[in-house]
Amino acid sequence: MKIDFSRVEKHQKLLLIIVPVLYLVAGIYFRLLLGNLSLRSVDPDYVYFMSGLSISEGFLKVGHIDHPGTPLQILIGIIFRIVFLFRGNNVSYIEDVFLHPDLYLSSANLFITVITTALLVYAGYKTFHITKSVFYAVLVQTAPFLPVIWYDLIGRITPELMMPFPIILLTLLVIQIYYAENSVSYKTVILLALVSAFGLSLKLTYVLLWMIPFFVIDTWRKRFFFAGLSFILFFLLAMPVTLQLNVFWGWVKNLFIHSGQYGGGESNIIDFASLIPNLKELYGYEKRYFYVYFSLIAVFSGYLIYFRKKAEKTMVLIAISVILTIAVQLLITGKHYAHRYFIPVLLLSPLMIFIIAEMIKKFYPKKIITSIINLGIVGILIWNVQFNRQWLPVKTEALGTDVENRMNTWHVAQSLDKISYKIIASQNYGCPFIEYTLMYSTVWANHKKQEEYKPILNKLYPDTYNFFTWDNSMRYWGEKFNAQKAVASGKKIYLYLERNEEELYNRTISKLQEENGAPFNIQNDTVFLNNKTEEIIFRLSIQPEPVDSLRN
């Protein structure tokens, strides 16, 4: 009986659709689960909202270049323009975006999910084409399935969401170099430089991954060409950075010489007192990852001892580059600790497993070993599925409950009189009033754009006053708060507090009186109290006489 190997290969390729489809479903699911991003995801989602909006108007000198996040900013700008094509023309583009910001951001998130799904399909077929192994192909596709951290991000707008693009493409290029019989071509070097520049323009945490292509490229002339071209491409891709290079350099310098987050903390490169606890916490979250990492070190050590001078140079360079990159990234993450800073090297898990598998084949170059390795990969994939199944209900419960609790206040906020005074006191990462989210977002706009957007936002959301408790400032788009004018308008006056605390209430009223320039008598009636989130909405009655304020 003859076997039609073309049909076998065809059926194997069909397996490469499964993981991308699962990713697509997960992305849509978490986007729907999270609902309005303005409720709980102001930072960085709405920071990128403002940057993307500015770029969509052709304004590249955006106010936020810290990450830098340029590819995400550009993509958001493009998606915003496309979405507006499907909208009615009753209002201008800017007004429509400000009236429906959650819709525009949700569209951008769903588009990122779709193109990431396409990336996984491409990566699977490309890996299969290079290696002729459906096991390696599926393995590479699983890179973004990081259940401890990824499901917190997949329904949102963050630069990490686009990190699979440079990491997976880098993985494909490294695998291609490993299988190639010839030296690394200049075409491949150019592709490595483009991928590296793209990754760095997304997030500074990618910079250490430049070590991998630098090691893997086979001559010093090509390495220096790679480094120079990568820098040139970075400054071309991250044009907002290039236009504000002095600001960006100051930010990077502070990150390096200070031990805290965001360039803060003490003036030392590493705070060893916090380094160890940070690494312990990271290890607790990512034990499975470190099992693979330590296995790579162990197998590589055995490979060097066993083969010595006969060790394959390309394999040695790939292994060393990956091990060193992860080690240095560990130190950097421990220095400026946040779990998400480790995402670039977390996405290298498939490449680590590939390296381990190929080194094991060198020890025992027989067909049976390939079968055992394939079974091992299947075991890892099953292990990964079980781990995802363990975390999915946890993430669903935590995120879903939080959103559900917040939505109770949101529904009440939507029922309030549209033509009214709204005083919002919050320093949270979200709010049931879109006015707060937009005010927070405009803080991150370039000064020119802030001034340009003020009259538009004042027209759309008049008589809105945001009390930012972290810096004790009252922010608004129109005129300062005037109690006499508010009373004379006949409009209802609402006060939202993120926490039902007397101290916050008194601070807010005191700030209003300061803005007013004179004290006034005030009474309040509770409109809604959310017992689960402790949010509260009052209706205020103001009498602009110079008497002490009372809380009834």
Side-chain angles (χ1 to χ4, degrees), residues 342-487:
F342 204 60
I343 284 177
V345 292
L346 284 175
L347 292 166
L348 289 175
S349 289
L351 181 58
M352 286 198 294
I353 296 170
F354 169 81
I355 296 168
I356 291 170
E358 287 300 308
M359 282 193 292
I360 291 174
K361 288 180 183 179
K362 302 297 181 183
F363 285 104
Y364 307 100
K366 294 182 180 180
K367 194 172 183 179
I368 186 65
I369 294 303
T370 300
S371 299
I372 293 172
I373 287 172
N374 291 340
L375 286 174
I377 292 174
V378 171
I380 290 171
L381 294 175
I382 293 173
W383 190 30
N384 198 12
V385 168
Q386 290 176 336
F387 197 53
N388 276 268
R389 287 185 62 187
Q390 172 188 333
W391 274 95
L392 276 169
V394 175
K395 295 294 183 180
T396 293
E397 177 67 21
L399 296 174
T401 300
D402 183 43
V403 171
E404 183 180 352
N405 292 339
R406 291 170 182 262
M407 283 297 292
N408 293 328
T409 311
W410 182 85
H411 285 300
V412 175
Q414 302 312 300
S415 70
L416 300 179
D417 293 25
K418 300 300 180 185
I419 303 176
S420 61
Y421 277 77
K422 297 183 182 69
I423 301 148
I424 303 164
S426 179
Q427 62 179 11
N428 210 322
Y429 281 103
C431 182
F433 291 90
I434 193 63
E435 292 91 336
Y436 166 81
T437 306
L438 291 172
M439 180 62 74
Y440 182 97
S441 179
T442 54
V443 169
W444 291 97
N446 178 280
H447 179 72
K448 179 182 177 182
K449 283 296 176 184
Q450 287 184 21
E451 296 302 313
E452 183 180 318
Y453 292 149
K454 271 184 181 180
I456 300 172
L457 287 163
N458 187 50
K459 171 189 172 184
L460 300 176
Y461 303 101
D463 305 319
T464 300
Y465 299 88
N466 290 271
F467 179 37
F468 283 9
T469 55
W470 61 76
D471 64 356
N472 198 44
S473 65
M474 185 70 72
R475 307 199 180 196
Y476 41 85
W477 296 302
E479 300 175 349
K480 289 181 66 173
F481 180 77
N482 184 297
Q484 189 170 3
K485 183 179 179 181
V487 172

Side-chain angles (χ1 to χ4, degrees), residues 38-302:
S38 58
L39 269 179
R40 63 184 304 276
S41 304
V42 170
D43 188 3
D45 309 57
Y46 267 85
V47 177
Y48 277 93
F49 165 86
M50 185 52 61
S51 298
L53 178 60
S54 298
I55 286 179
S56 73
E57 294 188 281
F59 190 84
L60 293 178
K61 206 171 182 179
V62 298
H64 182 263
I65 55 172
D66 297 359
H67 291 154
T70 307
L72 179 57
Q73 294 168 344
I74 293 172
L75 181 62
I76 289 172
I78 294 171
I79 297 303
F80 279 14
R81 282 293 182 180
I82 294 174
V83 169
F84 184 66
L85 295 176
F86 294 90
R87 307 283 296 163
N89 295 318
N90 296 326
V91 295
S92 68
Y93 165 67
I94 296 298
E95 288 183 0
D96 196 59
V97 174
F98 281 143
L99 285 169
H100 307 282
D102 283 319
L103 170 66
Y104 278 85
L105 273 187
S106 293
S107 301
N109 171 267
L110 288 171
F111 184 79
I112 292 171
T113 297
V114 169
I115 61 175
T116 304
T117 300
L119 169 70
L120 297 182
V121 173
Y122 169 77
Y125 279 85
K126 184 67 175 178
T127 304
F128 185 83
H129 175 74
I130 297 169
T131 67
K132 305 304 180 192
S133 169
V134 72
F135 300 97
Y136 282 159
V138 175
L139 178 67
V140 169
Q141 290 179 323
T142 63
F145 285 85
L146 308 170
V148 181
I149 182 69
W150 202 257
Y151 298 132
D152 291 327
L153 305 175
I154 193 171
R156 298 178 52 196
I157 296 292
T158 70
E160 286 83 4
L161 270 190
M162 294 185 68
M163 196 58 76
F165 284 86
I167 305 293
I168 291 177
L169 292 175
L170 173 63
T171 298
L172 292 177
L173 288 168
V174 170
I175 292 174
Q176 182 174 293
I177 289 170
Y178 174 74
Y179 273 86
E181 296 180 357
N182 302 322
S183 62
V184 180
S185 67
Y186 273 97
K187 177 183 176 181
T188 301
V189 174
I190 292 171
L191 289 175
L192 286 168
L194 182 59
V195 167
S196 299
F198 181 84
L200 188 60
S201 67
L202 264 179
K203 200 76 183 280
L204 289 176
T205 50
Y206 186 91
V207 66
L208 293 174
L209 276 82
W210 283 30
M211 292 171 60
I212 295 175
F214 191 82
F215 270 78
V216 171
I217 293 170
D218 54 355
T219 67
W220 282 105
R221 171 179 282 187
K222 292 176 185 175
R223 286 169 180 161
F224 287 125
F225 176 74
F226 158 78
L229 182 60
S230 296
F231 277 111
I232 292 171
L233 291 173
F234 167 73
F235 288 114
L236 289 174
L237 289 174
M239 189 56 66
V241 169
T242 306
L243 296 175
Q244 305 171 82
L245 199 54
N246 58 328
V247 176
F248 185 71
W249 171 244
W251 162 253
V252 173
K253 185 173 65 175
N254 284 333
L255 287 176
F256 182 75
I257 65 177
H258 292 87
S259 58
Q261 285 192 347
Y262 313 122
E266 297 181 7
S267 296
N268 53 15
I269 295 176
I270 297 178
D271 179 8
F272 289 98
S274 62
L275 178 66
I276 302 303
N278 290 343
L279 293 181
K280 284 182 178 179
E281 181 176 330
L282 182 62
Y283 177 78
Y285 281 130
E286 300 292 350
K287 286 182 181 178
R288 292 155 45 91
Y289 175 85
F290 286 105
Y291 294 158
V292 176
Y293 180 57
F294 295 143
S295 297
L296 172 61
I297 294 173
V299 173
F300 179 59
S301 299

